Amino acid sequence: MANGHPLTNVQQRDINAILHPYTPLHKLAETGPLVMGHGKGVYLYDTQGKAYIEGMSGLWCAGLGFGDEEMIEAANEQMRTLPYYHLFGGKGMEPAIELAEKLKEIAPVPISKVFYTSSGSEANDTQVKLAWYYNNALGRPEKKKIISRVKAYHGVTVMAASLTGLPGNHKGWDLPVDRVLHTDCPHHYRFSLEGESEVEFVARLAKSLKDMIEREGPETIAAFIAEPIMGAGGVIIPPSGYFAAIEPILREHDILIIADEVINGFGRTGNWWGSQSVGMTPTTISVAKQLTAAYAPLGAVLVPEDVYQAYVDHSAQLGSFGHGFTYGGHPVGCALGVKAIEIYQRRNIVEYVRGLTPTFEARLAKVKDHPLVGEVRSCGLVGAVEMVADKATKRSFDPAHGVGSNLAKFLEGHGAILRALGDTIAFCPPMIITEDELNELFNRFELALADTEAFVSKNGLRAQ
Ligand SMILES: Cc1ncc(COP(=O)(O)O)c(C=O)c1O
């Protein structure tokens, strides 16, 4: 049984065969999986034919929605021409070259080389290995620690999950590994002190980072990694001046600045790059997700010339650059990356996102006074509604009550999908969403919010 209904055949087959990521495994048979059949535009249809507005672009990635004919054609064409090849041992192929050229052209800082991976986690894992390789090349074998942040999300491989600053990715997994440090999360609503202004908050965080570097010894710290706007940690937008305050401290100590643009990149925040939206100036960059609009898995690391030259010198000493993935630079993924960027440029996606932003902000602002809502926040077309038990004190609900996940379930009933990050509900609709569709997504969200209020009141979940 799933929610009182017998499981359908496809649900039962799913449960019998799949180990689901990020899922309460003990409850799945009870809740039943939601098995999707097909998608078109911003809509997904489950195997029963029910339609859902996909308000999260899947996992913050399907920026062009579903069933884009140009993307399908680009994949078909590449499949026919060359379905697979690789870049090992100096081999090459046109789509990988073309996409790297494109990325160099649109990058927010001067970039010399592109290293391909299959995912965002692999990109961030690669970033760490490259930072180590770089410091070995420069004869600094002690300079190896990486500073990440509380609430960061950088993926799930052993190192990427260690960089991630969320307890659920560490507890039970023997992580984080050593050489990883976590500094403060720049979320003023949650982490500011009583009466502390944003300016004071930023100054305190910068001081805390400086203290950490001095305590650990700058000669032991290789890199600092940050999402310009944090995604899975709760869509956290740093106060203005945050990166301007911390970057000089990092540069003073020759610490590489890694931008994880895996969610932020390719127009999502109303600029090509999240870095541009928050005034971050990275040394190297990780990309994935909207790189191909999720029509194929692909990630990449972008590095500048001086950093690349150190790899060249070190590979000369060691005989080779000993790193690479079988599917890194997969020609179908790269052809889709080239096509996605061409579409973003031709349809002027950055302007389009900016055009929708006032509606997105207005609809978020409309729910701000709801008794369940503590904070709303957004940048471009990524945003969040944080629910609290007590608006005045910002007290959160007991996580065991699953208020956020209940809202997401109610919302499915109303035909829309958003992601519950604890009790924070994230919004990241396909960037091609129309204004009417965006309004419809929020209409359905408001119904789910009302259902959640009824559920909270009925069960007395506000009690301490
Ligand atoms: C900012 C960020 N970095 C890295 C990752 C990991 O990407 P992947 O799931 O492709 O490994 C994610 C995934 O959500 C992400 O949001």
Side-chain angles (χ1 to χ4, degrees), residues 164-220:
T164 290
L166 298 168
N169 294 92
H170 295 165
K171 251 191 282 164
W173 301 102
D174 292 7
L175 297 174
V177 294
D178 63 5
R179 292 185 172 183
V180 175
L181 306 165
H182 290 94
T183 189
D184 309 84
C185 171
H187 189 188
H188 183 263
Y189 174 76
R190 269 286 154 223
F191 299 113
S192 58
L193 304 175
E194 183 78 31
E196 191 178 40
S197 70
E198 285 198 348
V199 172
E200 291 161 343
F201 177 65
V202 164
R204 179 164 63 80
L205 265 50
K207 166 87 169 49
S208 162
L209 176 65
K210 189 167 185 286
D211 291 348
M212 173 185 268
I213 294 168
E214 281 167 8
R215 199 168 54 242
E216 297 286 331
E219 70 288 354
T220 71

Side-chain angles (χ1 to χ4, degrees), residues 60 119-121 124 153-155 227 260 262-263 289:
W60 329 76
S119 69
S121 299
N124 289 329
Y153 190 82
H154 297 297
E227 303 150 85
D260 181 346
V262 166
I263 287 179
K289 295 195 190 263

